[in-house]
Structures are given as C-alpha cells and as structure tokens.
Amino acid sequence: MELSAKYSPNEIEGKWYSYWLEQRLFESKPDHRKPYTVVIPPPNVTGVLHMGHMLNNTIQDVLVRRARMKGFNACWVPGTDHASIATEAKVVKLLASQGIQKKDLSREDFLKHAWDWKEKYGGIILEQLKKLGSSCDWSRTRFTMEPSLYQAVVDVFVDLYQKGLIYRGTKMVNWDPEGLTTLSDEEVIFREQYDQLYYVKYEGVDFDGSLQVATARPETIAGDVAVCVHPEDERYQNWIGKKVRVPLINREVAIIADDYIDREFGTGVLKVTPAHDIHDYEIGQKFQLPIIDTLTEDGRISEAGARCIGMDRFEARKVWVEDLKAAGLLEKTEDYTHNVGFSERTDAVVEPRISTQWFLDMKKFMEKNPEVLSSVMSDEVRFFPEKLKNTYRHWMENVRDWNISRQLWWGHRIPAWYSPDGEFVVAATAEQAQAEFANKGKSIHVHDLVQDPDVLDTWFSSWLWPISVFDGIGANADRSELDYYYPTQDLVTGPDILFFWVARMIMAGYEFEGKKPFENVYFTGLIRDKQRRKMSKSLGNSPDALELIERFGADAVRMGLLLCAPAGNDILFDESQIEQGRNFCNKIWNAYRLVEMWEPVEVAQRPYEKEAGDWFEKRLNSALAENEHHFGQFRLSDALMNLYKLVWDDFCSVYLEAIKPAYGERISETAWNQARAYFATLVRALHPFMPFITEELHHALHEQKPSAACAVSDYPVVEVQVQNDALDPMAMVSEVRNLRAQKGISPKEALEICIFGDPDLLKGYGHMVSKMANCTAVWNPSDRPTGAASFLVGTLEVLVALGQSLDVEGEKERILQEMNRLKGFLKGVESKLNNEKFVANAQADVVERERQKQSDTLTKLKNLEGQLAALGS
RNA sequence: GGGAGCUUAGCUCAGUUGGUUUAGAGCAUCUGCCUUACAAGCAGAGGGUCGGGGGUUCGAAUCCCUCAGCUCCCA
C-alpha cells in the first residue's frame, strides 16, 4: 500500500471517533475496578466551542484516557449548564430582533421560546467536543435544568431553608440595570475607569459660607440625606450639627460626623446617599437617615430624582453638571480614576440597590462545614497550582452572604409560596406549601398561593453537579452510582470560576455528602493572544476552534495547546504552536512509513542493531519513569515535551537511523520486530495526548488486528530501573559530526578516529557509534597521528588525522581557549576544596563530586596540553 | 486601599529541602545539506553577569532586606 508522505488527519479522525463510540469504549458502569471520575465543567447550553473549552477539555481527555488505559473504570460525565442570565439575555435579544419584547410575553410563552432555543442550539458544543476527541460517556449527558436535576435543586433549597441556612432579607445588593436582576458579588467585575470628580458647593443654611463636596456621581445628589465629615477633621469642627442645602434641590440636610470618612479624599466631605452606595447605606442605617431611591430598575432617574425624570443615569449626569455649572455651584472638576463594577454578563454598570432577596448565610454555613476551608488548606483537596490556596482562603474568610435569587424566568424557580396577605412558606410543591400554611393554622386554597416569581442563581444548581449527575441528591436520590463514583478524582477548570463554582462545589460536597467532591483541582490558564490580550469577540483575536481542527487536525491542535500550558499559566496562543503539533504528527507518520518500508530478512541481529536497541530501551524507560512523576504533579506539558523528544530525537533521529539498513542491505527480522514493538509502545504512551493518529497506527502496527483498541490498551509501564551510561555514545557521534561541519567533511566520507582513554566508557556502543558517525575507531594507538584535529568527549581524547588540510594555528588557538575555560573552572572547584569550611560542612557526596570534577578537569587539561605539544610549538 | 504572585536566552517556560562538570528545554535565529521516511525534513552552531542593589553562607537563580517593573484576586 502506498502511503502519502503527508499525514492527513481529516481522513481518519471521524473514522476512529465513530469506532470508539460503536465499541462503547467511553461508557462506564460501576464494576469491580477502581473508578476514575471526572465531571465536565458544563459549558453554557447555548455556547460554541472556543479556545478555552479546547484547552480545558483536552486536559481532561488526557487525564481520562490515561486513567482508562491504566485500568481504571474511567467515567467522564458530560453535560451542559442552563446558564440562567446568559441564556435569558440571548433569548431576549433574539426575540427583540423578531420584534417581540419580553415584557409583552407571559412567563410560560417566554419559557417556551427559551426551550425552543435550547432544543435548537443546546448541545452544539457537545458535538464540537467530539471533534476534539473528548472521550466522554455520552450516554450520561446531563443538563442542569432537566427534570431530575431541577427537582434536586428545589429539594436542596427547601432543605437548606429548613436548616436555617437560607433566608429572605432586604439589603443592599448588586443590581444589573440592563439584565434587570440582582447579581452575586462574584458576578460584579471591577474595572478601572477614567471619570471626572466634581467639586460641588453645598451652601450653609444656618451659617454663612458653604461646604465643598467631591463626587463622581452628581446625578444622585437628589438622593442626598446628609453630608458627613470626620469627627476629628479640624477644618469642619464648627459646622458639625449645622445644616446645608442640597444643590438645585434645596432640601436642608444635616452635617454629621463619622470616622468612616477618609479625610484625604476630595475635600474630606462626603455626601450621604444611602440608596446608591453601600457605605452611604451603612452610615444611613447608623444615623437612621431616610432612603431616597432616585433611580428606576432600568437605570433611569425616578420620580424621586426630582430632575431629569426618566432620563438615563449617565445622560442625567451631564445635565446635572451643566445645571450645577450654570447655577455657580460647580467649583471645580478634576480627572479621577477609580474602579467601577460591571455586570459579568451584560457589561452594564452595576448599581447598588436596596432590595428583598434570598440569601445563603455563609457564616452559618461555614461554621457548620469547617472542612470547606480546612480540606483545601491541608491538601485533602489539592489545588494545582498551589498558590490558589491563598486566594481561596482569602475569599472564604471575607465572603459575604450569597445572593441566590435572580429576577429572571429561565432557571430553577424559587420554591417559596405567598399567601394573599403576603406571608410565605418554603415548600417543594404548592400542595406541600398549602400543608405548611395549614400547620401554621392558615387555611389557604392552592389556587390562592402565588409562587415566588424569581429563579435561582445558575451556580445554585451547578454547585451540585458532581452529586446530581449521579442522581444522588434530592428527595428521590438513588445512591447506587454515587457511592461508586463519588468523590470524583480530578476537576479541570479555569481560575476565573474558583469562587463561582469550585468553592461552592466543595461547600455542597461537605454539606450534602459530608465528603469532598474531588481530590484534585487543576486550574488551567486563560488563553491570550501573542500580545497577552484576552481572547474576546470584540477584539476578534479568537481563532475559530473548529476551523483550526479542520486545518491542522485535532491531534495537532491538542498538542499545540498543551505544549505550553503548565497549570495556572496563561497560554499565549500562536498558530505556530499548532503547526508544531501538525509537524509532529507528520514526523510520527513518516516514521511509520519508514518502518513499513523495510523488508526484514531472517539473519542474526547485527551488532549495531543490538546496540541501538539497548540504547533506545534505556531512553524509553527513563522517559516513561519521568512521565509518571510529571503526571503526578499534573505537569502535562512537561510530559508531552518529554514524549516529543523521545519520539523525534531518540526514536527517529537516533534509533531508527542507527538500525536503518545500509544501501542494498535488509534489516534483520529481530531488529524489525523490536522496532515495531518500541513504536507500538510509543504510540500507546502518546495516545492520551494524540488519540487519533495513535489509534490509526496502533491498528496498523498490529496488522489491523490489535487485541484491543489503543484507547483501551495497556498504558506503557516502566520495565526496569535505568542505570545511566557513564558516557552517552551520541555525544561522541555529535562531536565527530561537529568536526565534519567545521572542516567541511561530507558525512559520506568515512573517517578514521583515534581515541585515547578508557575503552569501557563506550563499551557496548562501538558499532552504533561507527555507523552513526561514519567512522572507524582505533583505541589508544602507540603512535599519535600527526596533523590531527582533536576534541574531548568527556575525558576521552579523540584525534582525527587531517594531514595538510589542518589549520594548525586555528587549532592551537581553539585548544588554548578551551584550556583557559577549564583552568577557570578548575580554579572555582579547587577554591572550594581548599576551603576547610567547605570540606568540613558540605555533605560528603557534594565534596566527592567536587573531587571528581577536579580530577576530570586535570585529565582534560593534560590531554589538551598533549595535543598542543603534538601540533608543535 | 488590602492580599497573592511574578521578573532566568529574541519568545514561551523548567530549574525539586541552597551544592549534579562555572544555568536547561521548546520555538525562533544562523551555517551547511534536495542523504531514496519526513524540506511540515537532516546535521551542526551561536545566544543568558538568572530585574537592580545590599545581606546571610564555605557555597545563592534558589534564603533575607530593599528598590524598580509587571500580573492576578478582593474592596
């Protein structure tokens, strides 16, 4: 069969993915084996595959495939997240483009549209993950809003309410004026913004003169209910307790004093606007001040705002500034840089707003579940990279109550029921709510109960994911699978959802199962472009993930992403990395072509074949041993690089070249079989990283009849503990080749080299060295050749007779330089050895090593002196 | 403003409790090669006073102090 010189991934990837699915190799059922469980971070149901997903899922797939080959019962559970606010925003936008406003729709009609959208686009991303090669158990695909998972969320809410961990309260929350919903603290993204700081004059009522107040938000002046200074601020002592007039509004408000005030900021006078700032709100509470909410829910000026009513808050700011200026009340303006909160989903500027919402009491929760923090700090749950433990602790120690209600329709509806007079109970169903009311002595007809219109924060369902995908939570829990698969082993996710998701899964794990949800968390980096910019739609710097797979092949893309992706490090994406992956696939492919091309013959194994096999076997075993270590530390890019070099350098450039039959000869059957066996081992070691090409070659190398698919074959194990050679024979080969390059001697021209030193140093590799360097070696001849170029390999001295063509002066110069370098080195070594404190204090093996260095260097210097003398001085 | 972390070759990164032949890798670069597996290739080479300064130590990329620059998290 003629094989193309170029590897074509497109022809084989689809074939093997179908094969894996037909053989049901990714499906998992509880059995006698140890489980290895991974739950996918469920992508948004409306999402499409982007670079972040590819990285994340490639890492998961590497871990899962390796575990599967190692004989674990590997179970990778896929699924999607309903993504309440994100999906609702998309549906609203889609409807708007069709001329339909959400407010004109009933809840039922809107949800129908949303489900239609979900049916149409939901799961696209899962199909895309298959293109990447993800070995998920697709028969287990879950969705956070499917009936049983929905029910689990409702049951959990009721349970936590009954335990007193959930409460309904009125406080200042984050309000998204575009999404028209509250947000948790974690959904507010602070970004630095350049603004103006306005110095506004508040005229005295019962004193002459005025106070100057610095504010960035003049449009909220109508909500001012006081001005506040620091009690010890000498500038304002006389005015505390007096009154000023709110500019343009003319309301008289008191001058109060509180040590919250930062005297250095602005003029040291704060306008107190409790409805629109969390700190002002707290001061307002303390001084029992009224609250004047001057904004509407969509961020416009309300009736209470007195001026600019109905105008957008930022438009109103401009008008306010103009009017203040016109009235002579704006005294100065200065540039001002501060952090402004934006909605994670809609990017609208978030408003602090007083509102009645549902909260999870974090303080009580953590008191009840101290393991949530301690398990991470003690490495019961291990974080990779470890530094994120600090971030986690900081968050846990400062976290405020979790606002879990959202003013949306798409999501799990809050199971709270209100009687006509406004009282509420929490219950899973209306009937149970009715019973609850009856217990309280209230007889209410089911039809008169009104369910809370709000839904729950998306993360209030995803925090159950590692439990709920196994149907192990809620009133209808079935523990049979959960007991087998839980706790899961590894979680792979981005650091951006450490608080949103990882922390809360740990919370749910301990609260509902009394156990951690996973053993290890691997945090990937963010994918950035070459200029370190985040990938984003608006910048247009995000490559089309599927198109990359189409162009380069999934294996190449996976490799390109992994090569430079240590845990927690951002990935600077560059297409050249994917090219490197593609080139590697091509290299492997061509290695296969070479091996297949050979026609073995039944003769005794040749010495160079034997030596090359011995050499490669050592490399193979030490690389496999190193990789066990790398995987233990989740150092996937190191493990991959290790295999890359093993295949490209050691296997292809050295081993295959070494056993390659000379022109007109044929490889021995023994060597050929050995080469194919090594190749098959490499293929299996590479499989977790590059599943497609390895599956193809696995079948090819077993002549289409492997005992099992590569995906479920045995992961290569380390055969023997490797004893490193005293001298790498390839160092000798490189030096000879270097000499050829320097002297312009063709590789085709055979050389005779004289080696002085201990022949044992190259023992067992003589034939291989001869073949690779195209030379014959004479050991320790009695006569030194004249006119010889020389070099050192370790302590071995090598001479190559060049006769007339030798540049004697140049050679001398080179030797002198090398001697100088060695003398400097020797000086360093000897100053250590002559230092009594070193010899006395350093560990014995360290001292011994220095002695070895000394003697080796002296040998080298002696050799060089001999060479110099031989050249004539 | 509070906290965490980073700074090693042109680029991206390793560097294990301070000592492993006076710092390693991949990519990029340079030189020579169309050698019948692969030019998506082969062979070879060059390149860093480990951000600056100070200290501890027999010994510092590694520990401490300080200065400068950068990143992330939280408010």
Side-chain angles (χ1 to χ4, degrees), chain A residues 579-823:
Chain A
E579 279 176 29
Q580 195 182 347
R582 179 199 59 184
N583 294 355
F584 186 47
C585 290
N586 201 48
K587 185 75 188 175
I588 298 170
W589 180 249
N590 276 289
Y592 173 69
R593 285 178 65 215
L594 176 66
V595 172
E596 280 312 289
M597 220 175 66
W598 289 336
E599 289 169 1
V601 63
E602 277 191 56
V603 292
Q605 192 182 20
R606 299 182 174 85
Y608 63 81
E609 291 173 341
K610 163 84 169 64
E611 291 176 9
D614 291 349
W615 182 89
F616 181 71
E617 189 152 318
K618 287 193 179 188
R619 289 302 178 108
L620 177 65
N621 276 309
S622 68
L624 291 176
E626 280 162 24
N627 272 15
E628 287 302 307
H629 180 71
H630 287 321
F631 270 105
Q633 300 296 312
F634 286 85
R635 300 170 70 136
L636 303 198
S637 33
D638 288 344
L640 176 56
M641 179 52 69
N642 210 14
L643 291 174
Y644 176 80
K645 288 191 282 193
L646 179 70
V647 170
W648 199 306
D649 300 338
D650 298 335
F651 186 68
C652 293
S653 294
V654 178
Y655 174 68
L656 291 183
E657 289 298 332
I659 63 168
K660 191 188 249 178
Y663 189 75
E665 280 185 26
R666 286 164 72 181
I667 190 170
S668 75
E669 182 125 28
T670 314
W672 191 63
N673 287 333
Q674 189 181 40
R676 289 162 58 93
Y678 286 145
F679 204 157
T681 303
L682 292 175
V683 158
R684 280 180 284 123
L686 277 169
H687 180 79
F689 295 101
M690 314 173 86
F692 294 106
I693 190 173
T694 50
E695 190 69 68
E696 172 80 14
L697 293 182
H698 176 79
H699 288 257
L701 285 164
H702 292 90
E703 279 147 2
Q704 325 302 329
K705 290 191 209 89
S707 58
C710 194
V712 290
S713 61
D714 291 339
Y715 191 80
V717 291
V718 183
E719 304 278 352
V720 286
Q721 206 62 26
V722 180
Q723 181 71 41
N724 276 333
D725 294 312
L727 185 73
D728 181 0
M730 285 309 292
M732 177 66 77
V733 173
S734 288
E735 286 297 336
V736 176
R737 287 171 172 174
N738 186 14
L739 183 87
R740 289 177 183 279
Q742 277 172 13
K743 309 295 179 195
I745 305 168
S746 161
K748 288 175 181 163
E749 188 184 329
L751 287 177
E752 179 171 289
I753 63 175
C754 297
I755 309 176
F756 294 89
D758 180 3
D760 277 354
L761 285 172
L762 269 185
K763 199 179 173 188
Y765 297 114
H767 299 87
M768 178 184 167
V769 169
S770 279
K771 183 160 190 285
M772 296 297 278
N774 191 19
C775 64
T776 50
V778 181
W779 283 89
N780 300 313
S782 48
D783 298 326
R784 290 182 79 93
T786 51
S790 60
F791 52 85
L792 298 178
V793 181
T795 54
L796 294 179
E797 188 185 7
V798 182
L799 275 77
V800 183
L802 293 175
Q804 298 300 320
S805 63
L806 181 70
D807 168 11
V808 176
E809 290 310 311
E811 197 63 16
K812 281 188 192 169
E813 180 61 27
R814 198 188 55 75
I815 292 172
L816 283 171
Q817 269 183 19
E818 176 64 7
M819 286 176 73
N820 271 337
R821 194 188 70 81
L822 286 173
K823 280 176 185 164

